[in-house]
Amino acid sequence: MLSFSKCLHGISTKLTPATSLTIKKVLLTKSNQLSVFRQPYINKTITSNLNLNVWKKSFSNIKIAEADPKYVGYWFLGCSGMVFVAVALGGITRLTESGLSMVNWKLLGEQLPTSQAQWEEEFNKYQQYPEFKMKNSTMTIEEFKWIWWMEYAHRTWGRCIGAVFFIPMAGFWLTRNFSRTTKIHSLICSVLLAGQGLMGWYMVKSGLEDRFDKPTDVPRVSQYRLASHLGLAFILYSFLLTNSLRILLPVKVTGVVTKNFVGLAMAAKGLVFLTAMSGAFVAGLDAGLVYNSFPKMGDKWIPDDIMQMDPALSNITENPTTVQFDHRILGISTVSILSALYIMSRKSKLPPRAKLATTALATFSWCQMGLGITTLLTYVPVSLAAAHQSGSLTLLSLALWLVHELKTLPKV
């Protein structure tokens, strides 16, 4: 293909010098105009291509968030509900002093007595341990059957939770119905669930050991192991419920929240958990029976025997008076913080669901405190005490819901 300059040279050889010069000037002028006209278009095209390449590279680094199917969320929710029932059953088992009636443990379940001879054999096993010798020596076999069935129901329910969790989990993994986040959380829940079962038996063993030497000793499980057992149940429940909320109740960003409000909500959630754990020590030491008055403990705000043990730190977890005092202080502190959170929410631009969660949390904290005081004043009846323990898990549920609603909101 000939160049433009060569074309001009060829034309010029056929024309007179004057005519040739005129034509050259005209063609060069038109050529420059055409170049000027095309230049912006070429620049625009190059710029567009460059921008397109930049966008392609940017989007190639963005990973689309994986979404879990709704039925995975319902599975998490169902498992959390079963754990809630297990906590309630465990509280009743402890309050009825049934937890030491079964003196052995098998992974897949103990044999169910079906004849009188088998019941007598089971009763004979129980008679070899401290609780019968020191506390229930007059118990009949019919009375033993009742506490045995209570412990059996608690253990069987725990094994049902394991089946309902692990069998569907295996199916979801094989069919690739889990997002990456859910895979990690399901593994954590697996470890917690297995640890919960092992901790339950480790707790029971502490009540079967021959360590009750003093006449004033009461055969019971270690309060440390009891608190660990309950704590693992609360943590497992929190993981399950949080995952169900993440999948079934996604947050719509329709408001803002202050950093102070979020910080106070997180602190409130931790305080609810800590108060529940102090309640486990109250239960483990029967500390609810030492001072059955409120707001004072007896005739004093601070009883004389609150620091009677040596070393001093042992009073926090081993002195029933101190344990009850701490539980009172933690309970009042929890209600105070949640009430402050409610007041702050009235002045905040929170979404409707977040405001509802805050209101429900503050309202129920007062109900829970009232239930605790009633339980104390009536000398810890089984029905009220079991309701109070279940109430602590309900309060934690509401705190988890509130934190879930605040998590993705813009912080100001």
Side-chain angles (χ1 to χ4, degrees):
M1 201 172 185
L2 295 175
S3 67
F4 186 68
S5 61
K6 288 181 178 179
C7 289
L8 290 178
H9 178 72
I11 293 171
S12 65
T13 58
K14 303 294 181 179
L15 300 173
T16 63
T19 307
S20 175
L21 181 62
T22 302
I23 291 174
K24 281 184 179 181
K25 287 181 179 179
V26 172
L27 290 174
L28 285 172
T29 302
K30 294 295 182 181
S31 174
N32 290 335
Q33 289 176 354
L34 181 63
S35 176
V36 170
F37 175 77
R38 289 180 60 84
Q39 191 66 33
Y41 174 76
I42 295 170
N43 290 340
K44 186 176 180 181
T45 303
I46 293 172
T47 304
S48 299
N49 289 337
L50 288 173
N51 289 337
L52 182 61
N53 290 333
V54 170
W55 276 102
K56 283 181 178 179
K57 289 181 180 179
S58 299
F59 278 109
S60 66
N61 294 326
I62 296 176
K63 295 181 180 179
I64 299 174
E66 296 177 273
D68 294 287
K70 289 288 186 182
Y71 53 77
V72 173
Y74 287 117
W75 169 66
F76 274 122
L77 185 63
C79 290
S80 68
M82 292 186 73
V83 173
F84 190 103
V85 174
V87 171
L89 273 175
I92 296 171
T93 301
R94 174 186 50 78
L95 289 164
T96 55
E97 299 179 343
S98 306
L100 300 177
S101 57
M102 298 178 71
V103 298
N104 48 28
W105 183 82
K106 294 179 181 178
L107 179 62
L108 299 179
E110 296 76 19
Q111 183 181 358
L112 185 65
T114 56
S115 64
Q116 186 65 20
Q118 289 177 335
W119 275 113
E120 289 177 358
E121 181 184 357
E122 199 69 28
F123 189 36
N124 289 334
K125 292 178 184 177
Y126 175 68
Q127 291 174 340
Q128 307 305 313
Y129 290 91
E131 186 175 68
F132 178 84
K133 293 178 180 178
M134 301 177 65
K135 191 175 181 180
N136 293 334
S137 57
T138 60
M139 177 178 281
T140 65
I141 192 169
E142 293 302 319
E143 291 171 332
F144 169 74
K145 285 181 181 180
W146 194 86
I147 63 171
W148 192 93
W149 276 114
M150 284 297 306
E151 175 65 7
Y152 181 79
H154 183 52
R155 293 190 186 190
T156 302
W157 188 256
R159 291 186 176 96
C160 289
I161 295 174
V164 171
F165 182 81
F166 285 114
I167 295 174
M169 176 184 164
F172 293 147
W173 271 78
L174 291 174
T175 55
R176 298 182 179 180
N177 283 315
F178 277 169
S179 66
R180 185 174 182 275
T181 300
T182 302
K183 286 180 179 179
I184 295 171
H185 289 184
S186 64
L187 288 175
I188 294 172
C189 290
S190 299
V191 173
L192 289 170
L193 185 55
Q196 171 71 355
L198 294 173
M199 179 55 71
W201 173 241
Y202 184 59
M203 175 191 71
V204 170
K205 280 187 67 177
S206 66
L208 301 175
E209 296 168 353
D210 192 13
R211 60 185 178 89
F212 308 99
D213 302 323
K214 300 177 183 178
T216 56
D217 284 346
V218 178
R220 57 190 173 203
V221 300
S222 164
Q223 70 270 28
Y224 299 103
R225 299 184 194 183
L226 175 62
S228 300
H229 186 51
L230 185 65
L232 280 174
F234 272 52
I235 295 171
L236 173 61
Y237 174 82
S238 299
F239 263 96
L240 293 169
L241 182 62
T242 300
N243 277 282
S244 68
L245 291 173
R246 174 176 58 84
I247 299 170
L248 299 176
L249 198 66
V251 177
K252 296 180 181 178
V253 181
T254 58
V256 295
V257 63
T258 63
K259 293 179 180 178
N260 290 337
F261 189 88
V262 175
L264 192 61
M266 295 295 290
K269 181 181 72 170
L271 193 56
V272 169
F273 179 82
L274 184 61
T275 305
M277 293 306 99
S278 75
F281 282 93
V282 172
L285 294 171
D286 291 327
L289 298 172
V290 291
Y291 284 98
N292 297 93
S293 58
F294 190 87
K296 292 184 178 181
M297 297 180 72
D299 296 328
K300 298 183 178 181
W301 292 103
I302 301 177
D304 297 330
D305 56 344
I306 197 169
M307 297 296 288
Q308 70 176 2
M309 288 187 172
D310 191 32
L313 284 176
S314 64
N315 287 281
I316 299 174
T317 55
E318 297 180 9
N319 185 344
T321 299
T322 313
V323 167
Q324 188 192 119
F325 179 82
D326 292 343
H327 190 59
R328 291 182 182 217
I329 297 301
L330 286 170
I332 294 170
S333 301
T334 301
V335 172
S336 300
I337 287 181
L338 294 179
S339 299
L341 205 62
Y342 170 76
I343 294 170
M344 290 175 65
S345 72
R346 298 300 93 189
K347 303 176 182 179
S348 302
K349 298 179 180 179
L350 295 174
R353 270 194 346 219
K355 283 192 174 184
L356 178 62
T358 307
T359 303
L361 186 58
T363 303
F364 193 80
S365 69
W366 283 93
C367 297
Q368 174 70 351
M369 186 173 72
L371 186 58
I373 293 171
T374 305
T375 303
L376 180 72
L377 297 179
T378 53
Y379 293 87
V380 197
V382 172
S383 57
L384 289 179
H388 186 54
Q389 178 170 303
S390 299
S392 65
L393 197 51
T394 303
L395 197 63
L396 181 62
S397 305
L398 293 171
L400 291 170
W401 176 31
L402 174 60
V403 171
H404 167 74
E405 296 292 340
L406 300 178
K407 190 162 48 177
T408 57
L409 293 181
K411 314 298 189 295
V412 294

